[in-house]
Amino acid sequence: MPGEKIGFVGLGLMGHGMAKNLVEKGWPLAVLAHRNREPIEDLISRGAQEARTARELALRSEIVVLCVTGSPQVEAVITGRDGLAAAGQPLLIIDCSTSDPSVTTRLAAELAPKGITLIDAPLGRTPKDAWEGALDVMVGGEPAAVARARPVLEAFARRIIPTGPTGTGHTMKLLNNFLSMGYAALYSEALMLGAKTGLTPQVFDSVIRGGIMPLHRAARPLRPTFLRDVLETVDPDLINWPG
């Protein structure tokens, strides 16, 4: 049964769904105020509370989940004026952002003497999966901290993969992105070659998508944008180059 009080920072496309799952699954949840009121009001209607500053959020929480853009935003939320660390109380911080591993390890070392444990838990999959509680999470941190975080992560994740010490989760996330972007480049080149020989993008994609290419599955998070921008709106005259 959920028990520890959870704070959540970052209610964007991914964070809104994650926080929704936490509050709906019984976790006491406080969220940080933001100029975008729609997700805040939605979560309040589901039972969450609102904190005006990160410091206030920390005072209401035992575990804080971050889902912001990257390391600069993470540092600002934790160490900035009225940040989480300013509350002066023990916390477990779970950073689900796509952060710089070197910053994550440095921050973890700086926060430890203050009684704050930082672990990294970046995400895989899509906002739809976040809403459905079906994300992939790569978790770096000490085993005891990861074990404490696991029930929280299970509220919005279907697959949780421990990666090693703090920082390894963010390293794995960057490597995963590297593979996905590399695959997207290969896929695009192959698509163009196919178009030059008379294969439509739709035929090409239907063969690859229905096959066993493992990298195609690895690049699944790229697919919604790719389908819309390339497969559905591509102009054959632009890709049927001479030669």
Side-chain angles (χ1 to χ4, degrees):
M1 181 69 181
E4 294 196 89
K5 294 179 289 184
I6 309 299
F8 204 104
V9 181
L11 300 173
L13 292 175
M14 298 292 275
H16 186 186
M18 294 159 66
K20 185 269 296 186
N21 276 288
L22 283 165
V23 72
E24 287 194 341
K25 293 174 182 177
W27 291 92
L29 184 70
V31 296
L32 184 63
H34 192 271
R35 62 182 177 274
N36 182 7
R37 298 302 303 171
E38 184 176 347
I40 298 282
E41 298 300 336
D42 174 67
L43 292 165
I44 290 173
S45 74
R46 297 174 191 270
Q49 297 181 336
E50 182 178 8
R52 293 294 174 183
T53 67
R55 180 180 181 276
E56 180 186 337
L57 187 79
L59 290 170
R60 296 186 183 191
S61 308
E62 296 162 283
I63 299 174
V64 176
V65 180
L66 307 181
C67 189
V68 295
T69 306
S71 291
Q73 293 75 24
V74 169
E75 288 200 85
V77 168
I78 296 175
T79 64
R81 183 179 180 182
D82 281 332
L84 297 173
Q89 69 175 36
L91 283 175
L92 171 61
I93 299 176
I94 305 171
D95 181 13
C96 295
S97 318
T98 302
S99 298
D100 181 336
S102 65
V103 175
T104 300
T105 53
R106 172 177 58 77
L107 265 179
E110 292 172 357
L111 293 170
K114 301 177 182 180
I116 299 174
T117 300
L118 173 65
I119 66 173
D120 46 321
L123 311 167
R125 304 184 75 87
T126 67
K128 179 176 181 290
D129 296 307
W131 195 258
E132 295 173 355
L135 292 172
D136 293 342
V137 181
M138 299 147 264
V139 193
E142 293 299 317
V146 172
R148 183 182 172 194
R150 181 175 284 272
V152 177
L153 300 175
E154 286 174 345
F156 51 77
R158 183 172 296 167
R159 197 164 65 117
I160 300 168
I161 309 100
T163 54
T166 301
T168 58
H170 282 144
T171 299
M172 187 63 238
K173 170 66 174 181
L174 295 180
L175 291 171
N176 185 69
N177 286 0
F178 176 74
L179 287 172
S180 294
M181 296 305 294
Y183 174 77
L186 287 171
Y187 187 97
S188 299
E189 290 290 340
L191 184 77
M192 292 299 112
L193 290 172
K196 289 179 69 175
T197 62
L199 287 168
T200 67
Q202 290 75 17
V203 168
F204 176 87
D205 182 71
S206 68
V207 173
I208 300 300
R209 192 187 338 176
I212 60 171
M213 292 290 285
L215 283 176
H216 195 66
R217 294 195 297 274
R220 190 179 294 130
L222 300 174
R223 289 195 50 76
T225 301
F226 192 85
L227 282 169
R228 183 181 66 249
D229 293 345
V230 177
L231 301 179
E232 296 176 3
T233 62
V234 67
D235 182 351
D237 292 335
L238 297 178
I239 59 177
N240 191 22
W241 300 329

